[in-house]
Amino acid sequence: MQGRIHSIETFGSVDGPGIRFVIFLKGCAMRCLFCHNPDTWDPKTDNLKTPDELIDQALRYKDYWGEEGGITVSGGEPLLQIDFLIELFQKAKRHGINTCIDTAGQPFTRKEPFFSQFQELMKVTDLLLMDIKHIDSKIHRELTSVPNDNIIDMFRYLDEIHKPIWIRHVLLPGYTDDDKYLYETRAFIKTLHNVKKIDVLPFHKMGEFKWEKLGYPYRLKETKTPTKARIQNAVDILNGKNDENLI
Ligand code: SF4
């Protein structure tokens, strides 16, 4: 079995705990307006690697991982290559490596065959980094091209099985930077018991040049990056500092 690889970061420090070997996979079915890696969308690539090749490569960096580090698989959307992920993480676990998936959850369903594969994958996954791209399903579709119902269900399933998650929320003026939606997102987060960390990721335009290079129209040209005050506001609301305002 081979994975379709976009790129590898050998010293990742933001994609999970500690220092991590981050494998970015090719392919994503979402079309987030703020995506800074549109070059990962197309699943086609000549860069194919087996789980053994990746584990061998990752192990060269093991000394730098310390107590907490390990391997993160990101994308693109890693769950689109779930068979490959299962094999990769099963091998990682045989080496005692901490495993983490950075996913937007779009492929999740409780239907077969995916659900059994996902359950298998969760046996060898230590942590998931999950995005709530928008709490309102209709706006989620405008923002990402897909509704969020199955993604919300994935959060619920991970809570049911007590799988630790970090939540990441892109703060995008005009879409997610509205107190109404921030409070709704907070109310949802409060129903979960497995959330270990909540990160607010301020919108930036660092990926804009990639959209232009690929010939895709970039619709957020006029959108401003959020102010420090709005970022702090989102951090406070999502982390429960203003829970007295929840309806
Ligand atoms: S899910 Fe991630 S990779 Fe896919 S379009 Fe959205 S931001 Fe980009």
Side-chain angles (χ1 to χ4, degrees):
M1 187 180 306
Q2 291 178 310
R4 298 187 302 277
I5 313 297
H6 173 268
S7 55
I8 284 170
E9 193 180 340
T10 49
F11 287 96
S13 59
V14 292
D15 296 302
I19 301 292
R20 310 194 68 85
F21 185 85
V22 188
I23 303 163
F24 295 90
L25 298 186
K26 280 282 268 173
C28 183
M30 290 169 87
R31 293 292 178 264
C32 304
L33 298 182
F34 51 74
C35 182
H36 56 264
N37 288 322
D39 47 328
T40 64
W41 292 350
D42 184 351
K44 290 196 290 298
T45 177
D46 297 332
N47 190 5
L48 303 171
K49 286 202 191 301
T50 65
D52 280 329
E53 285 171 325
L54 288 165
I55 296 288
D56 285 349
Q57 194 181 345
L59 283 172
R60 288 182 221 151
Y61 302 91
K62 197 172 182 186
D63 289 348
Y64 300 96
W65 295 345
E67 292 283 297
E68 295 193 303
I71 293 179
T72 295
V73 182
S74 183
E77 175 47 66
L79 295 180
L80 290 175
Q81 300 187 56
I82 193 162
D83 285 334
F84 169 76
L85 262 186
I86 293 168
E87 197 176 312
L88 177 72
F89 278 10
Q90 284 175 341
K91 286 180 190 287
K93 280 290 151 214
R94 274 180 226 132
H95 290 276
I97 299 173
N98 179 280
T99 53
C100 175
I101 303 172
D102 179 4
T103 171
Q106 174 274 326
F108 181 81
T109 170
R110 298 202 195 213
K111 290 190 189 132
E112 297 296 348
F114 182 89
F115 194 46
S116 294
Q117 293 168 311
F118 189 75
Q119 287 172 308
E120 211 47 41
L121 178 61
M122 288 304 99
K123 289 182 194 159
V124 283
T125 302
D126 294 309
L127 175 74
L128 290 99
L129 314 187
M130 286 273 297
D131 293 2
I132 302 180
K133 294 195 188 274
H134 205 292
I135 196 67
D136 180 290
S137 193
K138 209 166 142 250
I139 305 175
H140 192 280
R141 187 196 281 271
E142 283 168 30
L143 189 58
T144 71
S145 79
V146 298
N148 71 9
D149 309 73
N150 64 317
I151 297 166
I152 294 292
D153 191 37
M154 178 165 160
F155 277 102
R156 298 222 179 280
Y157 176 68
L158 293 172
D159 191 29
E160 281 166 30
I161 63 168
H162 313 295
K163 185 62 67 182
I165 63 169
W166 287 6
I167 289 182
R168 315 223 273 190
H169 192 60
V170 174
L171 192 67
L172 177 62
Y175 282 92
T176 59
D177 183 19
D178 179 316
D179 282 4
K180 170 178 151 51
Y181 295 126
L182 289 168
Y183 278 113
E184 282 179 22
T185 306
R186 170 65 192 161
F188 172 64
I189 292 172
K190 265 193 95 173
T191 66
L192 305 173
H193 311 88
N194 57 339
V195 181
K196 304 297 169 204
K197 194 168 178 231
I198 301 163
D199 281 331
V200 171
L201 310 179
F203 164 67
H204 63 72
K205 293 188 200 170
M206 283 186 274
E208 184 178 352
F209 77 98
K210 293 188 189 172
W211 287 66
E212 280 165 7
K213 210 169 141 200
L214 290 160
Y216 302 146
Y218 188 67
R219 283 173 43 199
L220 301 180
K221 258 185 192 316
E222 306 305 323
T223 304
K224 301 255 182 295
T225 51
T227 62
K228 274 190 185 155
R230 291 306 298 171
I231 296 168
Q232 191 58 51
N233 176 65
V235 169
D236 289 347
I237 293 175
L238 294 182
N239 283 283
K241 293 224 172 95
N242 304 337
D243 272 4
E244 69 277 5
N245 298 336
L246 285 175
I247 304 158

